[in-house]
Amino acid sequence: MEEDPSAVSVSASASVSPRRLAVLISGEGTNLQALINAQNTPSLPYTHIILVLSNRKHARGLTRASTANPPIPTAHLALQPFLKSHPTKTREDYDEEVARLLVRAKPDAVVCAGWMHIVSSRFLDVLKGVRVLEGEEPLGREIPIINIHPALFGQFDGAHAIERGFEAFQRGEVEELGVMVHRVVREVDRGEPLIERRVEVRKGEEMGEYEERLHKVEWEIIVEATRMVLDEVRPVGS
Ligand code: GRF
């Protein structure tokens, strides 16, 4: 997904503050790029990405954000260096620090766009507003969080879903494959799907060919689902 210079910009009227989106990434950031291209256009109106947070310092997505026009604020927090520099802290403490960075950015919604960590209950409780972090203000309302997953609901939960799905199809174990954007819950990739879409897959093709089709569908549904969730919490004009 490349930057789309022809994207029509819809400027927010002075009385309506734009909807604020935070995006979690770990790598290439092509789904992030789809959101960058769509922000504040008719596909994702009155919306600004206000933070891109990565768990990898050198994620290409961070460069996509910092070189966007206007530049998008970025942050990174990697698990292993965090644990090394805080020997008494745990994985859940790391999640809490990620949640803290999000809460401070005051997003209306959070999108996991290739975020390669499983989130803990402690993290989700902070975004729900049922757990207030020390030193932080209580949330006025829940911050919804969604995730893109390259499989149909319940098919191939967890990592390497594209490869596992493609191989299962080639072996004749499944008849269809697809992608979804779902709400994030404690059970990995088991939250309610907002959008689920089938992706054509052919017997005997290379996985790269299938993957290319799949990513194109991802870039569409990540924008559509983000719009859906923002419309729930901050309809345009509110
Ligand atoms: C996507 O295929 C997404 O479904 C999966 O990780 C990949 C991220 O790709 N969870 P990118 O970083 O957005 O290019």
Side-chain angles (χ1 to χ4, degrees):
M1 164 74 40
E2 296 307 320
E3 196 177 338
D4 178 3
S6 68
V8 187
S9 188
V10 179
S11 52
S13 83
S15 60
V16 179
S17 64
R19 288 129 24 126
R20 299 167 65 81
L21 196 64
V23 184
L24 295 179
I25 61 157
S26 297
E28 190 54 34
T30 63
N31 282 285
L32 165 68
Q33 187 70 57
L35 291 167
I36 293 174
N37 292 351
Q39 64 174 339
N40 216 25
T41 75
S43 324
L44 199 51
Y46 301 104
T47 303
H48 284 167
I49 302 172
I50 43 89
L51 176 67
V52 172
L53 172 56
S54 171
N55 68 330
R56 296 209 180 111
K57 191 176 176 183
H58 298 294
R60 161 109 164 89
L62 288 176
T63 311
R64 291 177 188 270
S66 58
T67 58
N69 184 16
I72 299 166
T74 61
H76 73 269
L77 186 63
L79 175 61
Q80 290 312 325
F82 174 84
L83 294 177
K84 254 191 180 164
S85 52
H86 304 91
T88 58
K89 300 217 164 174
T90 64
R91 167 59 203 272
E92 289 221 318
D93 294 318
Y94 167 81
D95 275 13
E96 204 170 274
E97 283 313 300
V98 174
R100 189 185 299 280
L101 291 170
L102 289 173
V103 163
R104 286 184 180 167
K106 299 190 179 358
D108 292 304
V110 175
V111 180
C112 299
W115 173 251
M116 297 311 281
H117 280 319
I118 294 170
V119 297
S120 59
S121 311
R122 240 161 94 178
F123 174 92
L124 291 173
D125 285 351
V126 173
L127 294 195
K128 276 187 201 139
V130 299
R131 181 186 169 91
V132 179
L133 292 173
E134 207 184 315
E136 307 298 331
E137 295 284 303
L139 293 187
R141 64 175 158 210
E142 175 171 357
I143 303 170
I145 174 165
I146 61 174
N147 176 53
I148 186 148
H149 181 62
L152 297 173
F153 182 76
Q155 245 193 348
F156 298 97
D157 300 337
H160 308 297
I162 301 178
E163 295 89 322
R164 289 189 289 132
F166 182 78
E167 282 159 19
F169 175 83
Q170 297 301 338
R171 287 194 299 265
E173 292 165 11
V174 292
E175 285 181 1
E176 55 183 14
L177 297 175
V179 295
M180 66 166 169
V181 178
H182 63 94
R183 295 182 200 277
V184 175
V185 296
R186 185 68 192 89
E187 297 75 33
V188 178
D189 300 324
R190 286 292 167 138
E192 176 207 344
L194 287 159
I195 302 182
E196 214 182 349
R197 205 156 285 169
R198 275 160 195 64
V199 176
E200 186 193 357
V201 52
R202 301 172 192 145
K203 287 275 179 206
E205 71 175 336
E206 295 291 322
M207 193 175 81
E209 297 172 72
Y210 167 65
E211 213 169 338
E212 205 172 301
R213 281 197 298 280
L214 177 136
H215 288 313
K216 284 189 181 143
V217 178
E218 285 193 326
W219 302 334
E220 287 171 16
I221 69 170
I222 197 159
V223 172
E224 288 172 33
T226 299
R227 183 177 179 164
M228 283 166 72
V229 87
L230 282 171
D231 283 350
E232 281 173 15
V233 286
R234 282 269 320 269
V236 170
S238 68

